[in-house]
Amino acid sequence: FSFLAFSLCVVFGKRKRGRTKEGVSFSPFPSRLRQEGAAAVPTTSSGGGATGDDGLFLLFFQRRRRLVGAAAAAAAWAASSSGRGQQRRRRRWLRAAAVAPTASLPLFLLWFFLRGDRLKPALRSTPPILYAEERDNSEEEEVEFSKVQWVEVGLNITDEQKQAIARLPSMMTKRCKALMKQIICFSPQDGNLSLLLAAWVKIMKPKRADWLSVLKKMKTLENPLFLKVLEYALLEDSFEANIRDYTNLINAFAKGNRMQDAENAFLAMKKKGLTPDQVTLTVLIHMYSKAGDFDRARKAFEEIKLLDLPVDKRAYGSMIMAWIRVGMPEQGEMLLRDMDTAQTFAAKEVYKALVRAYSTVGNCDGAQRVFNAIQLAGIIPDAKICALLINAYCVAGRSDDALSVLDNMRSAGIKPNDKCVALMLAAFQKESNLEKAVSLLMDLERDGIAIGKEGSEILSQWFQRLGLSDEFGHVLKDISNSSMTL
C-alpha cells in the first residue's frame, strides 16, 4: 500500500508539475488544508523559502503519524515543488518516502504478533467459554465489546456433555449449535452468561429465528438457564421481541412462583411501549389468583373488560377461584352465569371448587345449583363431585336429600366411593337412626359395593357407643382390611 501510494503521488505530481494559474503553484492538497498549513509555516515568494505546502505537510504528518500517510504526502509535496531550495528538500523527502514502506514492514510484523491473539479465536482446553480483561470488581459496569472474546469449547468436558452435544439436531444452524455447545458446557463458577451471549451476538450476528431455535431447544432440554437467556434476548434488537415473548416470560415466572420477577417483566413490556393484551392479562389474573392476591387479580380482570377484549374461560376460571379463596363463592357463581350467557363453560376443576366451597359451609342450595350447572355444561359428574353434594346436605342436616343423591348416583351408573358411604353413615349416626343405616348397608351389599376403611371406622365408633364393640369389632376389622362386602 505504501509503494502504491508513493507511485501514484509521484506520477500525479509529474503530470501536474509546472502548471500554474495566476502565479500560484499547484498543490495536491485541498485549499482548506493548505490554509491551515500556511498558517503553520509562513509562505514566501523566494525560491528557497517555505510554502503553504511545507507547513501543510508538517501539519499532516503531526496529525496522522502514520508511515504510509507520510510517504504519500512527502511524494506529493516533492513532486510539486520548484526552486533550488525546494529541489534539495524534494530529493530528501523522496528518499524518506522510499524508505517508509521498507521501515513499515518490521513494524507491522511486530504489531501483528503483539496483537495476534485478538485477531483470531482462542482455543482453550477447559470449559470456561468467555472471559474479559479485568477492569474492576463491579458487576454492574458495562463490558466493552472490544474486550470480549469467544473461546471454543475444549476437550476437557464430561461424557454427559459430549452426549448432549452429539444429540443436537443436525438441521440446527452452525451459529445456534455454537451457542448450544457453550450453554451445555457452561459453569456459573467459571463463566459469565451475559458475556457469553454478548460475544455470540457480536460475532455470530444472530437473527430472531436463531434465538427462537436456541430457546426452543433449551426448553426441550429443561435447561436451568432458559429464563436467563430469554431475559437477555428480550433486550437484544436482533431478537425483535414482541408482546407474546414477554407473555411467555411472565408465564414462566408465574409457574415458578416468582411473582416479583413477573411484575418486573410486565413493567418492562409496558415501558417498551407494548400494550398488554387479553393473553397477558389472563396470565396475570391466574398468577395473582394462585398467590391469593385478590385485589390485583380483580384489577387485571377489570382491565380486560375496560379494553373491550374477549374474556376466555381461563380468565373466568382464575377470577372465580380468586372469589372462592376470599370466601365469596356467590360472586364466582355470578361469573358462571356470565359465562353461560357468553356460551363459555369453565373447566371441571372450577365447578368442583365451587361445589366444595358451598359444601364446606353447608350451603346445599348453592351446591345443588352448581351441580346442575355442571350437567348443563355437558360434564358428567364423578363420585367425588357427588360426595361434595352429599356432604352439603349432611352438613345442613338433610340426610334424606343426601340419600336421594346417593340413589341417583346408583341409578346413573356412578358407583359410590367409600367417602359417599362414610358421609351417609355419619349422618345416620348423628341422627341415631340405626334402621336407615342397616337398610343402606343391605342395599350396598346387593349391589356388590364394598365398605372401605373410612366407613368401617364410623361403624366401629357407632357400635362402641352402643356397647357392641366386642361382638362386631373383629368383623369390622376384617371388612376394613379386606374390603369385604357385608
Side-chain angles (χ1 to χ4, degrees), residues 131-146:
Y131 61 90
E133 293 184 2
E134 295 286 343
R135 298 180 64 181
D136 56 24
N137 295 328
S138 175
E139 295 182 357
E140 300 295 335
E141 187 176 1
E142 296 182 359
V143 180
E144 296 181 4
F145 284 161
S146 60

Side-chain angles (χ1 to χ4, degrees), residues 5 33 47 145 167 181 200 213 242 247 305 318 329 367 434 441 485:
L33 294 180
F145 284 161
R167 288 195 295 267
K181 291 178 182 179
W200 186 64
S213 178
N242 54 39
T247 302
K305 293 185 176 181
S318 299
L434 184 58
L441 292 175
T485 57

Side-chain angles (χ1 to χ4, degrees), residues 309-458:
L309 298 174
V311 186
D312 61 2
K313 66 177 185 179
R314 187 185 179 192
Y316 273 118
S318 299
M319 196 62 218
I320 291 173
M321 295 300 296
W323 284 113
I324 293 173
R325 290 187 177 98
V326 295
M328 301 177 67
E330 294 83 3
Q331 298 294 329
E333 190 179 354
M334 292 179 61
L335 291 179
L336 276 182
R337 299 193 187 103
D338 294 342
M339 296 180 68
D340 293 339
T341 304
Q343 295 296 317
T344 304
F345 301 103
K348 183 178 180 180
E349 291 74 15
V350 177
Y351 286 106
K352 187 176 179 180
L354 264 177
V355 176
R356 181 183 291 108
Y358 283 127
S359 175
T360 303
V361 296
N363 189 343
C364 53
D365 294 334
Q368 186 64 59
R369 288 195 304 267
V370 179
F371 187 83
N372 296 335
I374 292 175
Q375 300 178 74
L376 292 176
I379 301 174
I380 300 176
D382 55 13
K384 293 182 178 180
I385 296 178
C386 293
L388 293 172
L389 182 59
I390 292 173
N391 181 73
Y393 282 113
C394 291
V395 173
R398 298 166 58 177
S399 60
D400 293 338
D401 293 329
L403 186 59
S404 299
V405 175
L406 187 64
D407 293 338
N408 292 335
M409 287 177 60
R410 295 161 60 190
S411 301
I414 302 174
K415 185 178 180 180
N417 56 14
D418 185 43
K419 184 68 176 178
C420 296
V421 177
L423 288 171
M424 291 306 308
L425 292 176
F428 292 144
Q429 180 190 6
K430 187 177 181 180
E431 297 175 355
S432 298
N433 197 336
L434 184 58
E435 183 179 355
K436 287 186 177 181
V438 173
S439 176
L440 175 62
L441 292 175
M442 292 177 65
D443 291 341
L444 295 176
E445 182 185 6
R446 283 193 298 268
D447 294 341
I449 299 174
I451 299 177
K453 181 178 180 180
E454 190 172 354
S456 300
E457 290 178 353
I458 293 176

Side-chain angles (χ1 to χ4, degrees), residues 451-475:
I451 299 177
K453 181 178 180 180
E454 190 172 354
S456 300
E457 290 178 353
I458 293 176
L459 284 176
S460 177
Q461 295 173 5
W462 196 353
F463 290 152
Q464 286 179 5
R465 195 176 66 176
L466 296 176
L468 302 175
S469 58
D470 295 336
E471 290 79 359
F472 294 95
H474 296 293
V475 178

